[in-house]
């Protein structure tokens, strides 16, 4: 239908500004305020229309793609309203905890930047250990809320017919779980030798940086970041000299 087509175009583009710029999108503008777009996505009758339109396909590939994206966006909003509100509230509380949390180091509050600087520059292993521990202190504070949120998300996903929130999220992103896990396993095998060489090189550079003997075991706090996600900054990196004095603000 025309209504489904317009709705699919709106959601597929992901641009709420289209509603403001194009009065012709009366599907939403006629009776739903802009900030209530989520409520539109949750409407069961409209969702049923999108499911039917998606099932029917069509000759217009672009429109069919928009319908598919609109259906997926709407499916995420089909959760029980009270359960969805609890999930949103838990997510907000969790985000607030993370943003307000400060670790403790030597009796003072430290933020993520302080910790990153120590792990990047300090050669004092005890200071590094304490800095990494400070970065992990948020875990004890948020653990109960993380578990609560996981249970709520799984409950909502199962009510929609999915095994758990993980599969639900993959489905909305149009990813097949078996394919994804097989791909990751394949990459793990293919990259194993390269990873071993790279890791050995990183370890040796860190030992030299910290004044440790060759082959000495390294601990998690001996690396350049708390999660071992970033390469250590090279000691001869020309960007340090070029940008060290620049105020990013």
């Amino acid at each position: 239908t025309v209504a489904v087509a317009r709705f699919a175009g709106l959601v597929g583009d992901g641009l709420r500004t289209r509603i403001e710029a194009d009065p012709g999108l009366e599907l939403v503008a006629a009776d739903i305020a802009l900030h209530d777009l989520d409520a539109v996505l949750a409407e069961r009758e409209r969702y049923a229309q999108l499911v039917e339109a998606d099932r029917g396909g069509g000759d217009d590939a672009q429109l069919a793609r928009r319908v598919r994206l609109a259906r997926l966006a709407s499916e995420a909003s089909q959760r029980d309203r009270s359960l969805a509100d609890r999930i949103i509230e838990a997510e907000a509380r969790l985000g607030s905890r993370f943003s307000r949390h400060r670790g403790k180091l030597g009796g003072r509050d430290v933020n993520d930047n302080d910790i990153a600087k120590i792990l990047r520059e300090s050669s004092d292993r005890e200071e590094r250990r304490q800095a990494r521990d400070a970065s992990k202190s948020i875990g004890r504070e948020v653990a109960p809320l993380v578990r609560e949120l996981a249970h709520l998300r799984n409950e909502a996903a199962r009510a929609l017919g999915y095994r758990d929130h993980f599969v639900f999220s993959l489905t909305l992103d149009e990813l097949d779980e078996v394919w994804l896990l097989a791909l990751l396993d394949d990459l793990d095998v293919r990259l194993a030798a390269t990873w071993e060489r790279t890791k050995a090189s990183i370890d040796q550079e860190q030992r030299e940086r910290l004044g440790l003997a060759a082959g000495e075991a390294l601990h998690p706090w001996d690396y350049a970041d708390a999660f071992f996600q970033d390469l250590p900054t090279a000691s001869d990196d020309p960007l340090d000299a070029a940008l060290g004095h620049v105020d990013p603000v």
Side-chain angles (χ1 to χ4, degrees):
T1 66
V2 173
V4 170
R6 286 188 171 184
F7 184 63
L10 171 67
V11 178
D13 286 346
L15 298 175
R16 294 182 181 223
T17 52
R18 285 192 63 198
I19 303 174
E20 300 172 327
D22 184 1
L25 291 173
E26 69 274 0
L27 173 66
V28 174
D31 56 359
I32 303 294
L34 180 61
H35 68 275
D36 283 335
L37 181 56
D38 289 338
V40 175
L41 293 174
E43 290 180 10
R44 298 296 174 86
E45 182 178 350
R46 203 183 307 276
Y47 175 65
Q49 290 179 323
L50 286 169
V51 170
E52 184 62 29
D54 186 33
R55 185 181 295 118
D59 297 329
D60 188 330
Q62 185 178 41
L63 177 58
R65 180 61 180 158
R66 287 181 167 182
V67 168
R68 170 64 55 82
L69 293 176
R71 180 185 68 75
L72 292 172
S74 295
E75 186 166 0
S77 299
Q78 297 306 303
R79 301 175 298 189
D80 175 77
R81 190 67 259 166
S82 63
L83 182 56
D85 288 342
R86 291 170 63 195
I87 291 173
I88 292 170
E89 191 269 337
E91 290 171 341
R93 281 191 288 138
L94 191 58
S96 177
R97 293 276 187 88
F98 271 99
S99 65
R100 291 186 291 106
H101 178 79
R102 296 292 181 271
K104 294 284 187 182
L105 182 60
R108 63 185 177 91
D109 289 346
V110 288
N111 59 30
D112 290 345
N113 290 334
D114 298 325
I115 292 170
K117 181 176 176 62
I118 291 171
L119 294 178
R120 190 171 60 248
E121 300 177 0
S122 177
S123 59
D124 184 332
R125 296 183 85 190
E126 178 57 24
E127 181 184 37
R128 298 177 66 88
R129 184 190 67 76
Q130 292 181 16
R132 183 182 181 278
D133 287 348
S135 76
K136 305 300 182 184
S137 61
I138 181 64
R140 292 187 297 273
E141 181 179 330
V142 301
L145 186 53
V146 169
R147 285 192 289 267
E148 176 190 346
L149 180 57
H151 286 306
L152 290 172
R153 285 174 168 175
N154 285 334
E155 181 183 346
R158 291 184 188 117
L160 294 176
Y162 293 90
R163 186 192 70 209
D164 52 31
H165 180 73
F166 176 67
V167 174
F168 178 56
S169 297
L170 289 180
T171 300
L172 297 188
D173 286 333
E174 299 180 282
L175 291 172
D176 176 76
E177 180 185 19
V178 174
W179 172 86
L180 177 62
L181 296 182
L183 173 64
L184 295 176
D185 286 341
D186 182 51
L187 289 174
D188 183 43
V189 172
R190 290 170 181 264
L191 297 174
T194 301
W195 160 248
E196 291 296 334
R197 291 194 301 270
T198 303
K199 175 64 162 50
S201 175
I202 292 173
D203 285 356
Q204 186 52 36
E205 289 178 4
Q206 286 302 101
R207 290 188 188 99
E208 293 173 1
R209 226 177 242 244
L210 299 173
L212 305 179
E216 182 171 347
L218 293 176
H219 296 285
W221 49 86
D222 290 323
Y223 294 99
D225 76 283
F227 300 96
F228 196 61
Q229 294 175 327
D230 298 319
L231 285 171
T233 303
S235 57
D236 58 349
D237 190 341
L239 285 177
D240 280 350
L243 302 177
H245 65 285
V246 176
D247 184 345
V249 178

